[in-house]
Amino acid sequence: MSDSKNQDRALRIGLVSVSDRASAGIYQDQGLPALQDWLTLALSTPWELETRLIPDERAAIEQALIELVDVAKCDLVVTTGGTGPSRRDVTPEATLAVATKEMPGFGEQMRQISLQFVPTAILSRQVAVIRETADHAALILNLPGQPKSIKETLEGLKDAEGKQLVSGIFAAVPYCIDLIGGPYAETNEAVCKVFRPKSAIRNKAV
């Protein structure tokens, strides 16, 4: 799984927007465009995209996550929506149901970032997990539903001069993908600077 051929291919990303109303066409989904726009700005190495727009139904969410990892072979799957306390919010439950490992640090950091803005961030239930099959593994992240919150949690908080005040969660995503056997991904440092141990950093081509 960690051979160099696999590390050199394009990063495969699955995006899942979970919303009863958007999936029914009552209003236009904002989660998928916000995620795609941010990734376009942030990633500097090749990547491929799969998207899904589905209702707040646990079985549908589980099926989408399994298909994106097991069939589409995505290395990273990001969901948006369905992480609050209401009865219809079941994205975390569906995510945990398909997991082989839980990665609690991502959810902890997302809430820490959001708490800088609103005290109701403690109501968010985002989780992150690894799903593993015999020959593949992927990181699955739950993100908030609002475009502004999506950007904040991925990118973190910066001051007026652009200095990082609080790290966003995406800073740790490429190294996590390295560790589970996925391709080597790099970012535009002006948007999000990736952290890797020195021993894991590749020399950039001159």
Side-chain angles (χ1 to χ4, degrees):
M1 283 176 63
S2 59
D3 61 274
S4 59
K5 183 178 179 181
N6 192 46
Q7 290 184 330
D8 289 334
R9 64 172 173 79
L11 179 69
R12 298 190 188 111
I13 301 176
L15 303 181
V16 182
S17 184
V18 182
S19 169
D20 285 332
R21 289 178 292 175
S23 63
I26 296 171
Y27 69 76
Q28 189 171 2
D29 173 65
Q30 295 182 318
L32 293 176
L35 283 167
Q36 188 168 349
D37 288 349
W38 190 87
L39 290 165
T40 300
L41 291 173
L43 289 168
S44 61
T45 44
W47 57 289
E48 302 167 352
L49 185 65
E50 290 262 351
T51 63
R52 302 284 190 277
L53 176 57
I54 57 177
D56 289 277
E57 299 287 352
R58 179 168 165 172
I61 301 167
E62 289 181 24
Q63 181 180 358
L65 297 178
I66 291 169
E67 286 178 356
L68 287 168
V69 177
D70 299 11
V71 181
K73 301 295 184 183
C74 290
D75 307 290
L76 171 66
V77 178
V78 182
T79 74
T80 174
T83 60
S86 78
R87 289 178 183 267
R88 296 291 294 171
D89 289 332
V90 293
T91 301
E93 286 72 25
T95 303
L96 291 169
V98 304
T100 53
K101 288 186 177 77
E102 190 172 355
M103 303 291 289
F106 284 102
E108 293 165 4
Q109 183 66 5
M110 280 189 269
R111 283 179 282 278
Q112 183 62 38
I113 293 167
S114 296
L115 278 167
Q116 306 291 321
F117 299 98
V118 289
T120 51
I122 59 174
L123 302 179
S124 66
R125 302 186 302 113
Q126 293 103 314
V127 301
V129 304
I130 304 293
R131 176 173 172 82
E132 300 159 304
T133 64
D135 62 352
H136 185 64
L139 173 63
I140 304 175
L141 299 172
N142 297 159
L143 290 188
Q146 295 301 316
K148 181 176 182 291
S149 298
I150 289 171
K151 182 177 186 294
E152 289 164 355
T153 53
L154 288 170
E155 196 171 314
L157 308 179
K158 299 174 183 176
D159 65 16
E161 284 74 43
K163 181 182 178 182
Q164 197 82 43
L165 299 175
V166 180
S167 293
I169 62 165
F170 205 84
V173 167
Y175 184 52
C176 182
I177 292 171
D178 294 349
L179 292 173
I180 61 175
Y184 191 91
E186 294 183 277
T187 61
N188 173 0
E189 292 190 0
V191 178
C192 175
K193 186 175 181 179
V194 168
F195 178 82
R196 285 182 169 97
K198 289 183 179 179
S199 60
I201 299 173
R202 287 187 181 183
N203 292 325
K204 294 184 179 179
V206 178

